[in-house]
Structures are given as structure tokens and as C-alpha cells.
């Protein structure tokens, strides 16, 4: 295999990896949106919350695995670039660099969006947790010992 074919294969591998990362980031964003909608209700289904959180975790692990897998590919490409200066002028090389930069910006965008939305999601889930804890405490009180109080606000 000649050098040209080797670096074209490496460039194609990197482009495929960055495109896959884009698709994973889209899925992470959809999970974040679903979690935001789900936690907007007073009592979200805990199984649904867990399923979305688990899916997001799996997607992030996949993203990490791809990131780790492309590091040696970049190292090999850099080595070939030292041997074959025409690698830098190959159209696929420019495309790969653009994908790399766009992926970086997309990761930053998703993280920033999560930084904005996650505190509200956590607050809602904590409110839900407190509500469930109160339900558990109430369920421990025998029905015969429970009293009902009615609160009527003043009308002005």
C-alpha cells in the first residue's frame, strides 16, 4: 500500500468518526430535550427518567470511546504528513479538519446547553424526590390516626 492510499484511508476513518460523533451529539441533545419535558410534569415516571439518563450515559461513553479511538489515527496521520507534505493539501484533509472543528464546537454547544438546563432539571427532580419522601412518611401513619386539614385562602 502506498502512502497516498494510507493517508486517504486514515482521512476517511477520521471523517467517518467525526460524522458518527455528530449523530451521537444529536441523540444526546434529543435525550436532554426529552428529560426536560419529562421533568416538567409534577410526578414524572421514575423509570422513564432512569431510561433517558441511562441512554444519555451510554451515548456519552460511545462519544468517549470514539474520541480515544481516533487519537492514534491522528498520530499516524501526523507521521504520514511528515513523510508526505501533500497530505495537508488533500481535499479530504481540509474536510476532516472542518469536521473536527465543527465537532468540537458542537460538543461545547451541547455542554453549554446542559449547563443552562440541568440545574432546573435537578431542582425539579429534587422536588419530586421530596414529594415521594413525604408520601412514604404519610403512608407510615395508620389511616385511623390521619387527619385532614383544609386551607381556605382569604379572598380580597
Amino acid at each position: 500500500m502506498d502512502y497516498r492510499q494510507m493517508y486517504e484511508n486514515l482521512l476517511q476513518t477520521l471523517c467517518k468518526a467525526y460524522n458518527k460523533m455528530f449523530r451521537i451529539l444529536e441523540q444526546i441533545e434529543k435525550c436532554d430535550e426529552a428529560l426536560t419535558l419529562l421533568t416538567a410534569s409534577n410526578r414524572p415516571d421514575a423509570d422513564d427518567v432512569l431510561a433517558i439518563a441511562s441512554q444519555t450515559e451510554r451515548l456519552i461513553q460511545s462519544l468517549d470511546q470514539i474520541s480515544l479511538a481516533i487519537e492514534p489515527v491522528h498520530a499516524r496521520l501526523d507521521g504520514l504528513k511528515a513523510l508526505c507534505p501533500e497530505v495537508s493539501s488533500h481535499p479530504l484533509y481540509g474536510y476532516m479538519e472542518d469536521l473536527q472543528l465543527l465537532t468540537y464546537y458542537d460538543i461545547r454547544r451541547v455542554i453549554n446547553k446542559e449547563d443552562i438546563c440541568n440545574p432546573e432539571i435537578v431542582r425539579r427532580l429534587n422536588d419530586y424526590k421530596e414529594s415521594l419522601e413525604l408520601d412514604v412518611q404519610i403512608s407510615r401513619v395508620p389511616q385511623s390516626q390521619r387527619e385532614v386539614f383544609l386551607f381556605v385562602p382569604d379572598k380580597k
Side-chain angles (χ1 to χ4, degrees), residues 52-63:
I52 292 171
S54 297
Q55 176 67 18
T56 303
E57 185 178 337
R58 283 190 298 275
L59 290 168
I60 291 170
Q61 286 174 352
S62 296
L63 200 60

Side-chain angles (χ1 to χ4, degrees), residues 32 35-36 39 110-127:
D32 290 343
L35 189 59
T36 299
T39 59
V110 170
I111 289 171
N112 288 337
K113 193 173 179 181
E114 286 180 345
D115 287 346
I116 292 168
C117 296
N118 283 357
E120 182 64 21
I121 292 171
V122 169
R123 185 194 61 75
R124 288 186 209 146
L125 289 174
N126 282 333
D127 290 348

Side-chain angles (χ1 to χ4, degrees), residues 32-100:
D32 290 343
E33 290 168 3
L35 189 59
T36 299
L37 288 174
L38 183 62
T39 59
S41 65
N42 276 345
R43 293 192 165 244
D45 186 312
D47 291 333
D48 291 344
V49 171
L50 179 62
I52 292 171
S54 297
Q55 176 67 18
T56 303
E57 185 178 337
R58 283 190 298 275
L59 290 168
I60 291 170
Q61 286 174 352
S62 296
L63 200 60
D64 287 343
Q65 289 170 350
I66 293 171
S67 294
L68 292 172
I70 63 175
E71 283 180 26
V73 178
H74 272 289
R76 287 183 61 201
L77 185 63
D78 289 342
L80 279 173
K81 226 168 61 171
L83 294 173
C84 304
E86 70 265 12
V87 172
S88 299
S89 61
H90 194 283
L92 199 53
Y93 185 81
Y95 179 67
M96 183 274 306
E97 282 185 318
D98 290 344
L99 281 175
Q100 182 181 20

